[in-house]
């Protein structure tokens, strides 16, 4: 990881990687959503509404994966003072919040025809809503930190502490057996039929690659903005 | 209950959100990198 600590070395890798991740991810998403909408059969129990899974599950994965990324980057910032770690954490925050929001809204739209309600204070739904609020708080804290410099450490600590919510979301369906269904995919295999499963895997991988491209674009933007700001300050001083 | 309006709404929200964050991130990156390279050229 330390080899990426140099922004110039990071940029030499990020520049060619960004379009590859973006285009391959976008193509995989388009193929998976087309298959999910028009090719896969309806579920025997849930009917057509199961098609929402191809948006909802990748969004949940990225919402949770995004915060895990923030926590890892924050740890690297706190322990090794990795110069790109805080940039990475801040770059993840906005797309992570967006995908957490997409997960909540699409879950709600799935819940109405399946459970008969848009919202229930169920363990999974509530912990996911908490994750969305954590993202909003992190964005506010890190924006203030980026302006003042000093409180950047506070947002890093917040990023690490907020990761407590990730296992809570994951195990919520086992700890509080309420409305949300249990885990369908685990290390031991999948309970989903292969005719419904393959577009889900393609969609999740495609969204993950695109998420990587988005984070790289945001990191590149932040590094360039920092460079412009530093140069303008130097020009003003001269 | 007709489930299709819910499916279409979910796909629309997912696609619009994803396209929006991708486009905004790309535009921000392009603007910042152009500014940075313009300043570098001026030096």
């Amino acid at each position: 990881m330390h080899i990426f600590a140099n922004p110039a070395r990071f940029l030499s890798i990020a520049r060619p990687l960004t379009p590859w991740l973006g285009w391959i991810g976008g193509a995989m998403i388009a193929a998976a959503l087309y298959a999910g909408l028009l090719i896969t059969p309806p579920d025997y129990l849930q009917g057509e509404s199961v098609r929402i899974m191809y948006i909802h599950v990748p969004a949940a994965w990225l919402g949770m994966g995004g915060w895990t990324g923030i926590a890892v980057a924050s740890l690297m910032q706190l322990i090794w003072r990795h110069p790109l770690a805080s940039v990475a954490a801040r770059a993840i925050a906005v797309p992570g919040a967006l995908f957490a929001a997409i997960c909540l809204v699409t879950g709600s739209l799935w819940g109405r025809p399946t459970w008969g309600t848009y919202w229930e204070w169920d363990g999974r739904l509530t912990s996911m809503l908490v994750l969305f609020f954590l993202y909003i708080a992190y964005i506010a804290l890190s924006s203030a930190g980026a302006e003042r410099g000093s409180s950047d450490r506070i947002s890093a600590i917040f990023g690490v502490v907020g990761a407590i919510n990730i296992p809570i979301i994951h195990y919520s369906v086992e700890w509080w057996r309420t409305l949300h269904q249990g885990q369908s995919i685990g290390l031991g295999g999948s309970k989903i039929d292969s005719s419904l499963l393959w577009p889900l895997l393609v969609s999740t991988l495609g969204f993950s690659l695109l998420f990587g491209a988005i984070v790289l674009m945001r990191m590149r933007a932040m590094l360039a903005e920092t460079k412009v700001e530093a140069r303008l300050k130097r020009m003003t001083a001269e | 209950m007709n489930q299709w309006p819910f499916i279409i709404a979910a796909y629309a929200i997912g696609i619009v959100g994803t396209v929006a964050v991708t486009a905004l991130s790309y535009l921000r990156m392009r603007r910042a990198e152009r500014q940075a390279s313009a300043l570098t050229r001026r030096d």
Side-chain angles (χ1 to χ4, degrees):
Chain A
M1 271 300 164
H2 291 288
I3 59 164
F4 301 114
N6 180 340
R9 192 173 296 155
F10 164 77
L11 285 173
S12 71
I13 297 165
R15 281 195 184 117
L17 194 61
T18 311
W20 279 105
L21 290 178
W23 286 114
I24 294 172
M28 289 176 81
I29 293 167
L33 295 189
Y34 175 79
L37 261 184
L38 302 169
I39 296 175
T40 57
D43 181 62
Y44 80 102
L45 199 61
Q46 299 185 23
E48 302 288 354
S49 67
V50 75
R51 299 180 195 284
I52 296 173
M53 167 172 78
Y54 303 113
I55 293 272
H56 175 74
V57 174
W61 163 257
L62 291 177
M64 291 168 69
W67 195 280
T68 308
I70 289 176
V72 170
S74 300
L75 261 181
M76 291 174 74
Q77 184 192 339
L78 291 169
I79 297 170
W80 293 298
R81 301 194 184 278
H82 195 305
L84 286 177
S86 71
V87 176
R90 280 189 289 131
I92 294 169
V94 170
L98 175 86
F99 282 107
I102 290 174
C103 169
L104 286 165
V105 175
T106 55
S108 205
L109 288 164
W110 197 352
R112 181 69 183 91
T114 312
W115 302 330
T117 179
Y118 284 107
W119 185 263
E120 186 68 39
W121 292 102
D122 157 281
R124 173 59 66 87
L125 276 66
T126 308
S127 53
M128 199 67 202
L129 183 65
V130 168
L131 178 69
F132 175 69
F133 289 142
L134 285 173
Y135 269 117
I136 300 301
Y138 181 85
I139 292 166
L141 260 180
S142 61
S143 304
E147 280 172 22
R148 287 185 293 160
S150 58
S151 63
D152 216 14
R153 204 175 154 78
I154 296 170
S155 60
I157 293 167
F158 185 77
V160 175
V161 173
I164 292 168
N165 193 41
I166 300 300
I168 293 175
I169 297 172
H170 183 77
Y171 291 109
S172 58
V173 287
E174 290 176 25
W175 293 341
W176 305 288
R177 288 179 177 273
T178 48
L179 207 49
H180 197 284
Q181 67 194 59
Q183 301 293 345
S184 303
I185 302 173
L187 291 173
S190 166
K191 294 175 193 163
I192 303 172
D193 186 76
S194 59
S195 62
L196 296 171
L197 183 64
W198 72 266
L200 178 63
L201 299 178
V202 176
S203 173
T204 305
L205 183 59
F207 271 105
S208 302
L209 294 178
L210 186 65
F211 190 85
I214 294 166
V215 170
L216 287 181
M217 285 192 279
R218 299 183 75 83
M219 286 180 75
R220 285 171 59 182
M222 285 174 191
L223 289 173
E225 284 161 4
T226 308
K227 192 175 167 184
V228 169
E229 204 176 312
R231 195 145 296 200
L232 286 174
K233 270 184 189 166
R234 208 181 314 146
M235 283 165 72
T236 315
E238 283 165 5
Chain B
M1 181 188 277
N2 181 9
Q3 298 176 336
W4 279 101
F6 296 96
I7 299 166
I8 292 164
Y11 273 66
I13 288 163
I15 292 167
V16 168
T18 306
V19 169
V21 76
T22 309
L24 290 173
S25 302
Y26 173 74
L27 291 173
R28 182 181 167 188
M29 177 194 73
R30 206 176 61 164
R31 190 174 54 233
E33 288 189 342
R34 272 187 184 168
Q35 278 180 344
S37 61
L39 276 173
T40 309
R41 275 199 305 271
R42 230 166 67 173
D43 284 351

